[in-house]
Amino acid sequence: MTFDTIFNRNGSHCAKWDLMEKQYNVPPDSGLAMWVADMDFRPPNVIQDALRDILNHGFYGYFGDDQKYRKSIEWWMRTRHNWNIDPSWIFTTHGLVNGTALCIDSFTKPGDGIVLFTPIYHAFAKVIRAANRDVVECELHNNNGKYQLNLKASYAKLKGHEKMLIFCSPHNPGGRVWTKNELQSVVDFAKANNLILVSDEIHHDLIFPDHKHTPLALVDPTITDRLITMTATTKTFNIAGLHSGNVIIEDPILRKKFDSKMAALGLSPNSFGLFAATAAYSEQGANWVDELVKYLNSNRKIFDEGINAIPGLKSMELEATYLSWVDFSNFPMDMPAVISRVERHAKIATNHGLTFGKGGENFLRFNIAMPQSQIYEAVDRMVNTFNGLY
């Protein structure tokens, strides 16, 4: 497997490529899809082989004994993240947006406030509002191109009806890997305000050199009674369409509430997702991830060097993820005009920063998980589109 191979995904029911023209008026035959968090790399052979075995067997019934699947998750968290979990703590959801929705439904009621440190993954606010809860936006501090928590200001934002904090670690879209001290301050904030703390750690395997992800569960043992951790194979191994995510809950009271909600909704996992996850969380999968991170790190450097050479543009230095967050606030053009040039001139589809909440208004998010030749192409297009306009 080489990450340099370009695959034509047009017409394959791939949202990233097939919906690009409808969403952004960027034609798929000449455009670059850098929006949806979906890598343009095939998953590792260990996953392909597992799914091929199912096809060769030719039966697609309900998934039975999931002991091996749960053990694979336990092994991965222990060996890759130094986090010892009990397999009984694991709930499997249809991805982590679904997991977020189930947490909201299980632990809050309509009208409750849910805190988000913005800018943050746009699906959170969408799900919160759809559930008739109140989004409480607490803006992160952008310190010279690096996000920092601004908890003093966040305390002032609270109205007293807040019941939950949804936290993104590593951060999406800024790519921060929070330090242990920062994570402890988040724990203290949740405890001081009696908030259920939902920690979305879906990008925890995509960490660049000189940085280390710490599961929030390892920061403070007193947080157990309010902590819910969400993880998945989907971002790490590019299998999001298999809709499989894990909600990990140590506390038995919280676990019982969540279990009751899943039972009431009649939820059960997709067998293909479980087979793929079991295969992914293996030594072969781990080796593939190590090579992937090296490749993404190289892409990051190429992209940042090219973007930062354009006067007025600044790509926030990623510590994790494959989602580059580009700041246009110092460019002498309003964002509608910027977006028009990116989409009409550069023919690149990106996520608009406004959708990530307060603090994201002057940003665009670029997915750099693609063959390196396309990264060079994207940089060239941005240079040709914006150079000389400052």
Side-chain angles (χ1 to χ4, degrees):
M1 163 70 192
T2 171
F3 297 110
D4 289 322
T5 303
I6 296 176
F7 297 99
N8 183 359
R9 302 180 69 189
N10 294 332
S12 64
H13 296 281
C14 166
K16 180 181 178 182
W17 287 92
D18 288 348
L19 297 182
M20 179 168 62
E21 189 162 23
K22 179 181 179 181
Q23 187 86 4
Y24 299 104
N25 201 29
V26 175
D29 57 340
S30 58
L32 289 174
M34 301 182 77
W35 60 303
V36 177
D38 172 347
M39 298 189 285
D40 283 321
F41 309 131
R42 281 183 172 162
N45 288 336
V46 66
I47 293 178
Q48 307 285 22
D49 291 343
L51 296 179
R52 195 173 293 113
D53 287 344
I54 301 169
L55 293 175
N56 290 338
H57 184 55
F59 291 90
Y60 315 109
Y62 296 113
F63 198 92
D65 181 9
D66 66 354
Q67 192 171 21
K68 184 178 178 182
Y69 159 75
R70 289 175 179 272
K71 283 291 186 182
S72 72
I73 300 169
E74 183 272 331
W75 177 84
W76 189 267
M77 297 307 161
R78 174 168 44 81
T79 58
R80 302 290 287 191
H81 299 288
N82 297 314
W83 181 23
N84 292 312
I85 66 170
D86 190 301
S88 68
W89 301 349
I90 302 166
F91 295 90
T92 300
T93 63
H94 292 279
L96 292 194
V97 175
N98 174 242
T100 303
L102 286 166
C103 288
I104 291 168
D105 210 20
S106 299
F107 305 113
T108 70
K109 62 183 186 298
D112 284 346
I114 299 180
V115 179
L116 298 177
F117 295 148
T118 63
I120 197 169
Y121 178 44
H122 47 73
F124 294 154
K126 185 182 294 185
V127 171
I128 293 168
R129 293 189 177 106
N132 295 314
R133 273 66 164 176
D134 184 22
V135 177
V136 180
E137 295 185 76
C138 297
E139 191 174 338
L140 295 167
H141 175 57
N142 185 348
N143 182 12
N144 194 30
K146 182 174 182 176
Y147 281 130
Q148 295 177 336
L149 298 166
N150 192 3
L151 295 180
K152 184 176 181 180
S154 297
Y155 276 100
K157 291 272 188 180
L158 304 189
K159 305 172 187 175
H161 70 316
E162 294 81 9
K163 302 297 181 184
M164 177 178 287
L165 164 63
I166 300 176
F167 185 64
C168 212
S169 178
H171 183 250
N172 173 13
R176 271 301 314 277
V177 176
W178 306 108
T179 66
K180 285 186 178 180
N181 286 339
E182 287 172 316
L183 293 173
Q184 182 65 61
S185 70
V186 172
V187 168
D188 294 341
F189 180 85
K191 290 167 66 175
N193 294 286
N194 197 25
L195 303 174
I196 294 291
L197 178 50
V198 178
S199 184
D200 171 20
E201 303 187 13
I202 195 170
H203 291 283
H204 64 172
D205 293 312
L206 306 175
I207 310 296
F208 294 126
D210 301 323
H211 300 283
K212 180 174 174 55
H213 169 77
T214 302
L216 217 156
L218 297 181
V219 172
D220 185 339
T222 67
I223 195 67
T224 301
D225 64 344
R226 66 183 67 250
L227 178 64
I228 296 148
T229 304
M230 301 196 300
T231 69
T233 53
T234 50
K235 286 292 181 285
T236 304
F237 295 96
N238 203 33
I239 51 175
L242 295 180
H243 282 283
S244 179
N246 300 122
V247 174
I248 303 173
I249 307 175
E250 181 176 355
D251 183 74
I253 296 174
L254 295 180
R255 203 160 60 238
K256 185 177 180 180
K257 284 185 179 180
F258 195 84
D259 186 50
S260 295
K261 180 58 62 178
M262 290 195 68
L265 295 173
L267 295 176
S268 60
N270 180 314
S271 63
F272 281 86
L274 271 62
F275 280 118
T278 304
Y281 281 162
S282 62
E283 289 186 5
Q284 300 98 308
N287 292 336
W288 184 87
V289 171
D290 291 341
E291 294 304 310
L292 169 69
V293 170
K294 291 177 185 176
Y295 195 87
L296 292 175
N297 192 39
S298 182
N299 278 5
R300 173 185 67 86
K301 292 176 181 178
I302 294 165
F303 186 81
D304 284 358
E305 182 180 358
I307 294 299
N308 293 338
I310 302 172
L313 272 59
K314 175 66 176 176
S315 180
M316 191 170 281
E317 184 174 345
L318 291 181
E319 298 172 354
T321 86
Y322 52 76
L323 304 166
S324 289
W325 190 233
V326 179
D327 187 356
F328 290 82
S329 59
N330 291 321
F331 197 77
M333 185 180 288
D334 63 26
M335 282 308 290
V338 165
I339 290 169
S340 178
R341 292 196 70 84
V342 171
E343 294 172 1
R344 306 294 178 267
H345 293 258
K347 295 184 179 180
I348 299 175
T350 68
N351 288 109
H352 300 171
L354 185 65
T355 64
F356 294 83
K358 290 181 180 178
E361 298 86 353
N362 295 311
F363 286 81
L364 293 177
R365 193 186 76 171
F366 291 74
N367 179 345
I368 60 168
M370 60 202 317
Q372 212 157 92
S373 61
Q374 293 181 318
I375 296 296
Y376 282 114
E377 174 66 21
V379 168
D380 286 345
R381 292 185 186 198
M382 291 292 289
V383 169
N384 292 333
T385 296
F386 288 102
N387 257 355
L389 298 180
Y390 187 75

